[in-house]
């Protein structure tokens, strides 16, 4: 028996064959932690694939949270593939848990699975440029805030495109001194805060850490303060073109935690202004989430393993007290700042003793100043990682809404 195809069927077959020959878009399955069903991943290949590693956009559709950007996804996705991105589209079908604080576990798993080649394993990925972008959002890369012949500092911004009203912004200084969006470091630290905040309708920015690699635990002052204030000013300068409301809160973890706290404690101190881009714009911030890190060098445990390194760089503390004091973000703290700018603090219960001690010292100093702060201990032993506990993240999100909306 001979099967004769109708003209329409022949046309469909021809289109399919042409698409296959051109490297058509494909699908994979991905197991979600929070959604009730396995999610189909639609893979959109870039318009022109090269032999080099591909930058990646993980595009999240139909989340439970309201969509902040009003621009069509078709237009956004077309621009991503035209710009050379490999795009993986995940459709959550409005699953009720596809929102913060629950979706953070999925966001962490996405980065883990990319890192261990359990997702998009057939492609060569650019580990330094893997972005999680919610529906209705765009990506603005390499926004320079501190030009320097030795190392120009920049940031990447994920933002709602054409939002109904201007949105607040979260800024984080990367824990990766080499690649600000290094997927490996984000995965290892379970750092999902910016990615989750983007799903809640905020703009989010990851900025270069002011200290270049290799990081040795020394944050040079006043150099670091000059650079991080330039980052805030540059981000605020994007308010009109990106429809931001000008309110900026900070996220700080590990080597980025001191940077977040420093922007709070040096607020209003003119000696740290005048360097980097957009000098005429305010560097004030409206809030800060400060996680595990080092905040002062005047109160260390006697057996702190970093003391020999500090002494080599700054001299013996008793002989160079001002140098040690100037290096610590906490030691710029004053009553006037903390009266109007409460912090959100958290640390894991199984962190290193040095880190737990630093958080205790910070909390004691804030209490002395009468600051109205929120502290939540992460009781799930996970070591040096960003919290994934829904209760902590829910309280953090409430804090951010109060500071940014």
């Amino acid at each position: 028996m001979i099967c004769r195809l109708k003209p329409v069927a022949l046309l469909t077959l021809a289109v399919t064959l042409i698409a296959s020959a051109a490297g058509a878009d494909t699908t994979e399955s991905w197991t979600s932690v929070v959604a009730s069903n396995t999610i189909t991943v639609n893979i959109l290949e870039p318009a022109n694939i090269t032999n080099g590693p591909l930058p990646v956009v993980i595009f999240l559709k139909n989340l439970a949270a309201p969509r902040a950007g009003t621009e069509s996804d078709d237009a956004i996705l077309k621009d991503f593939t035209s710009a050379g991105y490999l795009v993986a589209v995940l459709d959550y079908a409005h699953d009720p848990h596809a929102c913060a604080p629950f979706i953070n576990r999925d966001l962490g798993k996405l980065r883990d699975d990319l890192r261990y080649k359990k997702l998009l394993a057939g492609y060569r990925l650019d580990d330094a440029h893997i972005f999680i972008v919610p529906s209705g959002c765009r990506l603005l890369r390499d926004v320079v805030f501190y030009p320097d012949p030795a190392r120009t500092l920049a940031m990447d911004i994920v933002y709602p495109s054409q939002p109904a009203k201007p949105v607040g912004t979260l800024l984080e200084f990367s824990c990766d001194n080499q690649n600000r969006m290094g997927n490996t470091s984000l995965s290892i630290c379970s750092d999902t805060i910016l990615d989750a905040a983007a799903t809640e309708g905020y703009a989010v920015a990851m900025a270069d850490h002011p200290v270049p690699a290799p990081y040795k635990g020394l944050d040079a002052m006043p150099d670091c303060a000059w650079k991080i204030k330039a980052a805030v000013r540059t981000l605020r300068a994007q308010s009109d073109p990106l429809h931001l409301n000008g309110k900026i809160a900070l996220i700080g973890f590990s080597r980025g935690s001191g940077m977040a706290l420093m922007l709070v404690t040096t607020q209003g101190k003119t000696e740290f202004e005048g360097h980097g881009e957009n000098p005429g714009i305010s560097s004030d911030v409206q809030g800060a989430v400060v996680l595990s890190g080092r905040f002062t060098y005047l109160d260390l445990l006697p057996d702190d393993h970093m003391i020999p390194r500090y002494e080599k760089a700054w001299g013996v503390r008793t002989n160079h007290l001002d140098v040690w004091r100037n290096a610590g973000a906490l030691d710029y703290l004053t009553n006037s700042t903390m009266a109007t700018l409460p912090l959100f603090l958290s640390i894991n219960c199984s962190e290193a003793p040095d880190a737990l001690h630093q958080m205790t010292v910070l909390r004691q100093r804030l209490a002395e100043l009468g600051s109205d702060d929120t502290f939540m201990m992460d009781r799930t032993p996970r070591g040096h990682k960003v919290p994934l506990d829904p209760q902590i993240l829910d309280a953090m999100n409430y804090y951010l809404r109060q500071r940014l909306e």
Side-chain angles (χ1 to χ4, degrees), residues 189 253-255 257 291-295 301 346-359 377-387:
C189 296
F253 173 72
S254 192
R255 65 193 64 171
S257 62
L291 306 174
S292 175
R294 287 178 179 264
F295 313 117
L301 294 178
S346 183
I347 192 170
N348 191 269
C349 63
S350 62
E351 262 283 11
D354 298 331
L356 291 169
H357 177 70
Q358 286 283 299
M359 183 60 72
M377 178 70 78
D378 187 352
R379 297 293 179 184
T380 304
R382 299 177 62 245
H384 191 57
K385 292 182 181 292
V386 176

Side-chain angles (χ1 to χ4, degrees), residues 261 264-265 333-343 366 369-373:
L261 183 63
V264 174
T265 59
L333 195 56
T334 63
N335 272 304
S336 58
T337 301
M338 300 318 300
T340 57
L341 190 53
L343 303 178
L366 295 174
L369 297 176
S371 182
D372 182 20
D373 299 290

Side-chain angles (χ1 to χ4, degrees), residues 187-312:
S187 168
I188 290 173
C189 296
S190 70
D191 190 350
T192 64
I193 295 178
L194 287 188
D195 294 335
T199 70
E200 292 294 299
Y202 297 109
V204 299
M206 182 70 82
D208 284 324
H209 193 285
V211 180
Y215 186 70
K216 297 182 179 181
L218 302 171
D219 298 328
M221 286 291 287
D223 184 76
C224 282
W226 293 341
K227 292 173 178 176
I228 59 180
K229 285 182 179 291
V232 174
R233 296 195 307 265
T234 299
L235 185 55
R236 183 164 281 120
Q238 297 294 326
S239 293
D240 286 342
L242 301 187
H243 303 286
L244 312 179
N245 67 11
K247 295 182 178 181
I248 298 173
L250 304 163
I251 304 294
F253 173 72
S254 192
R255 65 193 64 171
S257 62
M259 299 298 103
L261 183 63
M262 190 179 295
L263 277 165
V264 174
T265 59
T266 61
Q267 191 146 294
K269 299 183 185 298
T270 57
E271 62 267 33
F272 299 115
E273 301 289 354
H275 302 264
E277 298 293 87
N278 301 290
I281 293 177
S282 171
S283 65
D284 287 355
V285 296
Q286 282 64 55
V289 173
V290 179
L291 306 174
S292 175
R294 287 178 179 264
F295 313 117
T296 179
Y297 304 95
L298 301 184
D299 190 339
L300 303 172
L301 294 178
D303 59 349
D304 190 317
H305 71 285
M306 289 292 288
I307 290 177
R309 185 172 296 178
Y310 299 149
E311 289 182 338
K312 183 178 180 179

